[in-house]
Amino acid sequence: MLSKRIIACLDVRAGKLAKSVRFVDTKDIGDPVAKAREYYEQGLDELVLYDITASSEGRGILLEVVARVAAQVFIPFSVGGGLRTVEDCRRVLLAGAEKVNVNTAAVQRPDLIAEAARAFGSQAVVLSMDVRRVPASAAIPSGYEIVTHGGRTPTGLDALAWARRGEALGSGEIVVNSIDADGTKQGYEIGLTRAVAEAVSIPVIASGGGGTPEHLYAALTEGKADAALVASMLHYGEYTVGEIKAYLAKRGLKVRRTT
Amino acid sequence: MITIVDYGVGNLGSIANMLKKIGAKAEVASDPAALRRAEKLILPGVGAFDAGMRKLNESGLTPLLNELVLEKKTPILGLCLGMQLMTRRSEEGVEAGLGWFEAETVRFRFGPEQAHLKIPHMGWNTLEVRRPHPLVADLGPEPRFYFVHSYHVVCADPADVVAWTDYGHPVAAVIARENILGAQFHPEKSHKFGMQLLRNFAERIP
């Protein structure tokens, strides 16, 4: 039986680790490669490096970070942030990542998903979506709207419709990031996570709001997610990967134990 | 020296990185002279069966691999698609496989009771060792490996299966016949379990 996955998200700015709180204030909190290694040794299942520099000079630094992570961390990892073309994707995959995360660029040009899936396979293409709760309307019947640019730009796209489209275009997994919950540590947005998980048949990763192991448990059961993304609860040393997994195992979830 | 066969499919750095980490001598190579020198071979692979088979055939390496593997009996480990290429054919395509195993690669098909299972089979799953084999020695209790695949291998002779994993039904995870070995998962991404498996390949496979 498959294990539920715990995925750590490292926001990287100019090669340094940063953690955003509600997407506005970001502060540097260390070396992403050292953090990646620390979590790997704790038994982490998977890693996401998210480049929040998204500038051309930052790009080269990111590829260096990717290569250093690949040389030391033997679990799957994906890279996202500012990937706009198949060539951008190819560069991070060749540097050692397994998967690419596409977000804003895919909203602007959905064919990017299809092109990347054709070039590298669906298993390598993760559609990452930032979602904000809005009043339900004819255009957005679910009451969940896709937003871009770190939550600043509404798109008029319904999150469930976009998730289905992403799957049809060939993405192999979907990260559902709640902008409302992001950085609050008050728990994942369960209703949203579950609605997306029920709308598609590819794995769904809950993101935004995880603050305690109980929050992960809720996302992986009630929220029907296959995996949960964690950031601050690890970055600030509040929990280790082992502590989170021990909790989930105690509650009866299948997780990969390394010790 | 373990030689990772480069036929233009995927990023081979991860496998080389892990072999380096466990202190095994390894190189990534595509030229016939390097392959002839190899004590052991790794046949990697990601993506679709036909694309992989065509790349391998276009590289011109297929006859040499047949010679090294079938006549010279060089140990070879196929990983993920690399293992599937060792079968006769795949439902994923029309190209003939290498046919080193009496086996076929078929798509996951689930009945109504398994309708909740997603395809691809992606993530960490447990290995159930069916028979002792040096490749799966000392993995410890509940070894878990990282899988990503939509097709799986069915061996005509179940004795070729060394270890299973369970995804809706038993799925061949490690297969072996003489010098020819295959793993459906990605040891290079499977933490300490993958490291032990590659160490076994490097040190315990004669």
Side-chain angles (χ1 to χ4, degrees), chain A:
Chain A
M1 199 186 148
L2 271 186
S3 303
K4 297 289 187 181
R5 286 173 284 156
I6 298 179
I7 305 176
C9 183
L10 301 176
D11 285 345
V12 178
R13 185 176 52 200
K16 289 232 177 70
L17 193 58
K19 172 58 196 154
S20 64
V21 176
R22 286 186 203 270
F23 273 103
V24 255
D25 256 344
T26 60
K27 62 175 186 169
D28 293 336
I29 54 173
D31 173 22
V33 183
K35 273 286 171 202
R37 204 186 152 126
E38 181 187 329
Y39 300 156
Y40 160 72
E41 281 164 0
Q42 289 175 8
L44 184 71
D45 296 315
E46 204 166 316
L47 190 68
V48 182
L49 294 175
Y50 219 84
D51 180 27
I52 57 170
T53 326
S55 64
S56 51
E57 68 271 25
R59 189 73 27 188
I61 302 170
L62 179 77
L63 290 177
E64 236 173 79
V65 171
V66 171
R68 283 171 57 214
V69 168
Q72 301 177 35
V73 173
F74 302 107
I75 51 174
F77 74 98
S78 67
V79 173
L83 303 176
R84 314 197 65 82
T85 65
V86 168
E87 267 320 299
D88 291 342
C89 296
R90 192 186 309 276
R91 274 192 281 274
V92 299
L93 294 174
L94 285 177
E98 268 62 55
K99 311 178 190 182
V100 291
N101 279 49
V102 293
N103 188 335
T104 301
V107 171
Q108 290 166 341
R109 200 174 65 81
D111 274 346
L112 174 61
I113 298 170
E115 291 166 10
R118 260 199 308 278
F120 315 114
S122 288
Q123 86 291 336
V125 184
V126 183
L127 175 60
S128 196
M129 48 174 68
D130 292 331
V131 182
R132 171 164 283 161
R133 194 197 290 266
V134 295
S137 63
I140 304 170
S142 71
Y144 291 112
E145 184 180 12
I146 297 293
V147 293
T148 59
H149 299 96
R152 293 189 302 274
T153 314
T155 65
L157 284 172
D158 183 273
L160 302 189
W162 178 232
R164 286 192 203 97
R165 178 124 191 254
E167 178 181 22
L169 286 166
S171 76
E173 287 177 281
I174 292 182
V175 175
V176 183
N177 185 46
S178 165
I179 294 292
D180 304 302
D182 184 71
T184 64
K185 297 209 231 171
Q186 297 299 304
Y188 299 91
E189 190 164 340
I190 301 297
L192 167 66
T193 308
R194 184 181 181 120
V196 175
E198 287 174 345
V200 298
S201 63
I202 51 180
V204 166
I205 300 158
S207 167
T212 66
E214 289 91 326
H215 293 154
L216 278 90
Y217 180 78
L220 297 170
T221 52
E222 222 184 308
K224 295 195 165 185
D226 300 276
L229 213 67
V230 291
S232 17
M233 56 189 287
L234 289 180
H235 300 338
Y236 295 114
E238 293 156 10
Y239 295 92
T240 64
V241 175
E243 285 164 355
I244 297 171
K245 286 193 169 182
Y247 175 85
L248 296 175
K250 203 177 72 197
R251 298 285 307 264
L253 284 189
K254 201 90 176 164
V255 291
R256 180 182 62 93
R257 307 295 293 275
T258 44
T259 48

Side-chain angles (χ1 to χ4, degrees), chain B residues 2-40:
Chain B
I2 297 175
T3 301
I4 303 161
V5 183
D6 178 11
Y7 57 104
V9 174
N11 159 40
L12 314 176
S14 308
I15 302 170
N17 280 336
M18 188 178 261
L19 288 169
K20 189 173 154 201
K21 172 85 184 174
I22 61 171
K25 277 198 179 142
E27 65 174 353
V28 175
S30 57
D31 76 290
L35 266 57
R36 281 188 188 283
R37 278 199 306 272
E39 290 161 47
K40 293 174 190 177

Side-chain angles (χ1 to χ4, degrees), chain B:
Chain B
M1 177 74 80
I2 297 175
T3 301
I4 303 161
V5 183
D6 178 11
Y7 57 104
V9 174
N11 159 40
L12 314 176
S14 308
I15 302 170
N17 280 336
M18 188 178 261
L19 288 169
K20 189 173 154 201
K21 172 85 184 174
I22 61 171
K25 277 198 179 142
E27 65 174 353
V28 175
S30 57
D31 76 290
L35 266 57
R36 281 188 188 283
R37 278 199 306 272
E39 290 161 47
K40 293 174 190 177
L41 296 163
I42 288 181
L43 186 66
V46 290
F49 188 91
D50 275 3
M53 219 41 237
R54 280 174 194 147
K55 288 257 192 187
L56 192 57
N57 290 334
E58 283 161 16
S59 73
L61 296 175
T62 308
L64 175 61
L65 285 173
N66 279 326
E67 181 197 323
L68 295 176
V69 172
L70 301 176
E71 288 163 36
K72 209 179 146 204
K73 304 280 183 193
T74 303
I76 184 164
L77 174 62
L79 298 180
C80 197
L81 177 70
M83 157 167 151
Q84 298 184 356
L85 296 182
M86 294 172 160
T87 66
R88 294 189 164 279
R89 67 181 75 81
S90 171
E91 289 181 358
E92 195 181 7
V94 298
E95 296 288 334
L98 292 164
W100 296 341
F101 282 96
E102 279 292 338
E104 288 189 23
T105 303
V106 302
R107 185 158 174 91
F108 278 110
R109 278 189 201 86
F110 296 127
E113 278 150 46
Q114 294 119 0
H116 63 285
L117 292 178
K118 297 176 175 182
I119 299 174
H121 171 216
M122 176 191 280
W124 295 85
N125 210 334
T126 322
L127 223 59
E128 201 179 301
V129 175
R130 183 179 179 279
R131 64 174 166 98
H133 191 284
L135 189 62
V136 293
D138 293 339
L139 292 178
E142 278 203 60
R144 280 170 189 267
F145 289 87
Y146 186 76
F147 290 81
V148 188
H149 60 126
S150 302
Y151 294 78
H152 66 99
V153 169
V154 176
C155 290
D157 183 355
D160 286 345
V161 181
V162 167
W164 301 94
T165 193
D166 184 51
Y167 195 61
H169 49 73
V171 174
V174 178
I175 58 176
R177 169 161 285 210
E178 298 180 15
N179 57 317
I180 311 172
L181 316 167
Q184 179 59 69
F185 45 81
H186 289 275
E188 76 280 13
K189 289 291 155 188
S190 296
H191 212 277
K192 64 171 193 179
F193 305 109
M195 231 174 254
Q196 182 61 36
L197 186 126
L198 286 185
R199 191 178 289 124
N200 289 340
F201 180 64
E203 296 172 6
R204 302 193 186 187
I205 299 293

